Amino acid sequence: MTDAKKLFVKTYGCQMNVYDSERMAEALAAQGYETTDRADDADMVLLNTCHIREKAAEKVYSDLGRLRPLKTGKPDLKIAVAGCVAQAEGAEITRRMPLVDLVVGPQAYHRLPDLMGRVARGERPVETEFPAEDKFDHLPARPGGTLAGRAPTAFLTVQEGCDKFCAFCVVPYTRGAEVSRPATRILDEARGLVARGVREITLLGQNVNAYHGQGPDGGDWSLGRLIRALARIDGLERLRYTTSHPNDMDDYLIAAHGEEAKLMPYLHLPVQSGSDRILKAMNRKHTADSYLRLIERIRAARPDILLTSDFIVGFPGETDADFEATLALVRAVGYGASFSFKYSARPGTPAAEREDVPAEVADARLQALQALITEQQRAVQEAMVGREVSVLFEKPGRLPGQMVGKSEYLHAVHVPGEGVAVGDLRRVRITESGPNSLGGRLV
Ligand code: SAH
Ligand code: SF4
Ligand code: F3S
């Protein structure tokens, strides 16, 4: 069709937004939109936004400002804001940004086609309800077909929302209460993905290991149970899940890491701080010691597992001694990689009422922590040299003839690509370690 309308999507924030953007694009495809990677030929621009830190939220407004000349030159252009900023700020967005036609929160994506109809009638709808119906039941089925240039990896949301209310975090407000999808739906969606060539699935949830969905037998399934069922799907070679909370790592899930060959030896398990005083003030409901003992149990089940974490520095009340405790915890664990953030006060969260640590103190701590994390990451990567790993190839590399994929530990690995195709799973001997990737040779 030559008269297809064009949709440009920009995704901010976490992997769940990446998944949601795909689902929204699929819903809009049913309305005749095909995606483009250029905003300037779009008939519709969709920003799928993130509210986690102030910078992330402000970026949306500066990007909207940059769309102004485009909209002036093309008055029919539709601009929609979705995601967590949409949920948190709602009508404030249409007030502040007259060029925005539509605001839709994360639980209302299935209403997009309907909302677009209202836009066509000249309305500027703001939809931030948490509807009673499940959006996943009302979104169109995922398209079939073959891999055709697409990655052999996919995200699959199994759980959404959070009941934990860490004192710094907006997620429980923007994504709502914890909801788990029924296992049958997840298994069906996974089989569909595998039928179109996907070989690795990453299960997503804001608190993915708190998953407790209805099983096909009517009983309650945990994440470990779900993983074991997914692992029985022929053609699905690898499973991962993110993001987990330490308090929801149950024995069954830990055991799965030792027993389920398709479950990759990689776990992102954010701890945020190594100071019990700060963990308490954060409402994390675990201590540094309970986290370290948990890591021991996980490593007992799967000794080679690569661990990663998130950290916040400069949380209100954090002293030098608290920060030293964080460094000590990082040294004790030995992470393969980690993300660290300077605390950002978020409106409506309990911690926003408290007094901030001076910016220069927080900056210095961030630098010190990042230096330690980088050192650990390098050491773990260098220890891979000489080892044999399995690599799922995803795309051509930067150099001619190169192919790049991910090892079971989620390291990017490039090889001279002769005879390797996207979607191939091959044994590779690691020969070198660079700043952000490993190099190797096919075995
Ligand atoms: N659901 C996940 C991730 C939440 S957001 C979890 O519970 O781990 C991802 C990371 O952003 C968090 O782990 C935390 O380190 C960071 N983060 C969240 N709120 C923040 C804030 N107000 N300021 C700075 N970093 C924040
Ligand atoms: Fe935010 Fe804490 Fe929930 Fe993670 S567990 S999403 S950090 S409130
Ligand atoms: Fe951001 Fe919302 Fe994800 S705030 S991190 S997009 S859940």
Side-chain angles (χ1 to χ4, degrees):
M1 269 208 305
T2 49
D3 59 349
K5 289 170 284 182
K6 294 225 163 68
L7 168 71
F8 173 79
V9 184
K10 178 164 177 182
T11 306
Y12 310 70
C14 64
Q15 288 140 324
M16 193 170 291
N17 265 9
V18 174
Y19 175 82
D20 287 342
S21 288
E22 271 176 40
R23 299 300 304 261
M24 284 190 278
E26 288 164 13
L28 289 165
Q31 303 277 110
Y33 281 95
E34 60 186 41
T35 51
T36 169
D37 47 19
R38 291 180 43 211
D40 50 10
D41 23 85
D43 301 289
M44 176 174 178
V45 170
L46 174 64
L47 304 184
N48 193 12
T49 63
C50 173
H51 201 244
I52 202 82
R53 285 168 288 273
E54 191 180 355
K55 265 200 193 122
E58 280 309 313
K59 180 118 204 334
V60 174
Y61 286 102
S62 58
D63 284 355
L64 282 169
R66 237 170 292 138
L67 285 170
R68 224 172 260 133
L70 198 62
K71 177 101 173 182
T72 311
K74 201 182 199 180
D76 278 347
L77 175 70
K78 304 288 179 257
I79 298 182
V81 177
C84 290
V85 176
Q87 189 62 40
E89 299 188 359
E92 175 63 19
I93 300 171
T94 40
R95 233 186 331 266
R96 200 169 143 187
M97 288 286 167
L99 82 176
V100 172
D101 297 288
L102 161 66
V103 173
V104 58
Q107 303 311 333
Y109 294 156
H110 56 297
R111 296 190 175 166
L112 254 179
D114 176 47
L115 294 168
M116 289 303 290
R118 288 173 57 191
V119 171
R121 294 195 295 277
E123 293 177 43
R124 294 173 77 207
V126 174
E127 177 67 275
T128 53
E129 294 295 301
F130 287 101
E133 77 269 14
D134 179 349
K135 68 178 168 201
F136 294 112
D137 291 349
H138 292 79
L139 283 166
R142 312 209 63 182
T146 56
L147 212 50
R150 284 185 289 202
T153 58
F155 293 132
L156 203 178
T157 294
V158 303
Q159 178 279 339
E160 201 171 345
C162 180
D163 297 340
K164 298 273 190 301
F165 291 92
C166 298
F168 50 80
C169 186
V170 294
V171 171
Y173 311 97
T174 62
R175 293 277 169 167
E178 282 179 11
V179 178
S180 296
R181 296 176 67 191
T184 317
R185 301 275 159 69
I186 296 164
L187 288 162
D188 284 347
E189 191 172 328
R191 282 189 207 100
L193 289 167
V194 171
R196 75 174 202 211
V198 167
R199 305 189 78 185
E200 172 180 307
I201 293 180
T202 301
L203 308 176
L204 297 183
Q206 264 90 35
N207 251 302
V208 71
N209 58 342
Y211 177 85
H212 56 96
Q214 192 187 54
D217 46 7
D220 206 29
W221 275 23
S222 65
L223 185 69
R225 184 73 193 76
L226 180 66
I227 284 171
R228 284 176 196 254
L230 285 162
R232 302 284 86 76
I233 297 177
D234 280 338
L236 180 57
E237 307 295 343
R238 291 174 156 193
L239 285 161
R240 305 179 186 277
Y241 59 94
T242 200
T243 297
S244 299
H245 191 285
N247 292 1
D248 292 315
M249 278 314 288
D250 64 37
D251 290 338
Y252 192 75
L253 181 57
I254 294 174
H257 276 282
E259 292 159 8
E260 194 49 73
K262 291 184 182 179
L263 183 57
M264 293 294 101
Y266 176 98
L267 180 62
H268 183 56
L269 196 60
V271 64
Q272 313 299 352
S273 168
S275 154
D276 288 345
R277 224 174 54 80
I278 294 298
L279 287 169
K280 190 153 198 290
M282 286 177 164
N283 191 34
R284 288 288 295 183
K285 299 198 172 89
H286 59 77
T287 63
D289 187 57
S290 67
Y291 180 83
L292 290 172
R293 278 184 285 125
L294 173 61
I295 298 289
E296 267 173 33
R297 280 161 56 218
I298 296 167
R299 281 185 167 148
R302 184 75 205 228
D304 65 334
I305 198 163
L306 188 144
L307 295 161
T308 66
S309 177
D310 293 339
F311 295 92
I312 295 177
V313 301
F315 187 79
E318 187 186 66
T319 63
D320 285 339
D322 294 319
F323 178 63
E324 283 303 320
T326 297
L327 295 177
L329 179 140
V330 174
R331 285 190 201 99
V333 174
Y335 289 102
S338 279
F339 301 95
S340 48
F341 310 100
K342 206 161 62 161
Y343 169 72
S344 167
R346 306 307 291 130
T349 61
E353 312 293 315
R354 305 174 198 166
E355 198 178 328
D356 279 353
V357 165
E360 60 280 10
V361 174
D363 282 329
R365 287 179 190 163
L366 186 64
Q367 269 195 10
L369 178 57
Q370 286 182 341
L372 176 59
I373 288 169
T374 305
E375 189 186 306
Q376 292 195 336
Q377 180 179 335
R378 294 252 160 90
V380 168
Q381 283 185 201
E382 262 147 37
M384 298 302 301
V385 176
R387 282 183 59 184
E388 210 183 289
V389 295
S390 82
V391 176
L392 177 60
F393 286 97
E394 295 181 6
K395 58 185 181 199
R398 261 188 307 121
L399 299 181
Q402 254 185 1
M403 286 293 284
V404 189
K406 297 274 166 58
S407 77
E408 52 273 65
Y409 307 101
L410 210 60
H411 285 129
V413 179
H414 55 83
V415 301
E418 246 153 79
V420 180
V422 168
D424 284 356
L425 192 60
R426 303 282 291 269
R427 301 295 296 172
V428 171
R429 169 131 2 244
I430 302 300
T431 54
E432 58 180 319
S433 165
N436 292 305
S437 66
L438 302 171
R441 294 256 179 275
L442 295 177
V443 176

XYZ file of all heavy atoms in Angstrom, residues 78 100-102 114-126:
132
model
N 0.387 14.096 14.048
C -0.170 13.805 15.373
C 0.975 13.502 16.328
O 1.870 12.719 15.991
C -1.102 12.586 15.305
C -2.232 12.724 14.301
C -3.279 13.721 14.769
C -4.398 13.894 13.756
N -4.265 15.151 12.996
N 0.927 18.757 21.708
C 0.609 17.353 22.005
C -0.878 17.082 21.783
O -1.733 17.805 22.295
C 1.025 16.992 23.449
C 0.532 15.599 23.838
C 2.534 17.079 23.600
N -1.181 16.039 20.988
C -2.571 15.717 20.655
C -3.173 14.685 21.597
O -4.385 14.577 21.707
C -2.634 15.135 19.232
C -2.181 16.134 18.195
O -2.933 17.088 17.953
O -1.059 15.991 17.659
N -2.295 13.886 22.231
C -2.813 12.722 22.937
C -1.843 12.304 24.044
O -0.634 12.252 23.828
C -2.957 11.588 21.893
C -3.056 10.142 22.342
C -4.334 9.916 23.120
C -3.022 9.229 21.132
N -8.871 3.730 19.575
C -10.035 4.509 19.940
C -9.662 5.981 20.207
O -10.320 6.919 19.753
C -10.645 3.849 21.186
C -11.820 4.633 21.717
O -12.664 5.001 20.873
O -11.870 4.888 22.942
N -8.550 6.159 20.926
C -8.095 7.510 21.252
C -7.692 8.264 19.982
O -7.941 9.467 19.855
C -6.913 7.452 22.232
C -7.255 6.901 23.624
C -5.974 6.609 24.421
C -8.132 7.881 24.403
N -7.084 7.544 19.022
C -6.716 8.171 17.747
C -7.962 8.652 17.008
O -7.945 9.687 16.339
C -5.932 7.195 16.868
C -4.533 6.917 17.366
S -3.543 8.405 17.538
C -3.320 8.827 15.806
N -9.047 7.891 17.131
C -10.323 8.304 16.545
C -10.782 9.632 17.135
O -11.248 10.527 16.428
N -10.604 9.770 18.443
C -11.005 11.022 19.096
C -10.117 12.174 18.647
O -10.595 13.297 18.466
C -10.968 10.845 20.615
C -12.122 9.964 21.101
C -12.019 9.632 22.580
N -11.954 10.829 23.411
C -11.651 10.801 24.716
N -11.392 9.644 25.305
N -11.599 11.917 25.414
N -8.826 11.894 18.457
C -7.920 12.933 17.955
C -8.388 13.389 16.573
O -8.439 14.587 16.282
C -6.458 12.421 17.901
C -5.560 13.410 17.176
C -5.934 12.154 19.310
N -8.785 12.409 15.733
C -9.254 12.736 14.377
C -10.492 13.646 14.431
O -10.732 14.432 13.523
C -9.550 11.455 13.605
N -11.263 13.526 15.514
C -12.448 14.381 15.657
C -12.121 15.709 16.341
O -13.011 16.443 16.748
C -13.535 13.638 16.446
C -14.088 12.422 15.703
C -15.382 11.906 16.301
N -15.218 11.371 17.669
C -14.802 10.121 17.924
N -14.509 9.297 16.929
N -14.682 9.711 19.161
N -10.826 15.981 16.507
C -10.421 17.291 17.032
C -10.279 17.360 18.542
O -10.039 18.425 19.106
N -10.401 16.200 19.235
C -10.212 16.216 20.692
C -8.735 16.052 21.039
O -7.929 15.666 20.193
C -10.998 15.050 21.327
C -12.503 15.193 21.220
C -13.204 13.964 21.797
O -12.775 13.482 22.869
O -14.156 13.477 21.160
N -8.401 16.334 22.302
C -7.034 16.077 22.790
C -7.136 15.202 24.025
O -6.985 15.672 25.158
C -6.333 17.395 23.129
C -6.072 18.269 21.915
C -5.543 19.621 22.352
N -4.142 19.564 22.734
C -3.586 20.400 23.614
N -4.317 21.312 24.239
N -2.296 20.315 23.883
N -7.395 13.904 23.825
C -7.669 13.039 24.974
C -6.449 12.819 25.882
O -5.311 12.757 25.407
C -8.106 11.714 24.345
C -7.664 11.764 22.934
C -7.505 13.197 22.544
N -6.737 12.721 27.184
C -5.728 12.367 28.191
C -6.273 11.137 28.906
O -7.283 11.216 29.593
C -5.509 13.522 29.193
C -4.581 13.082 30.317
C -4.950 14.750 28.484
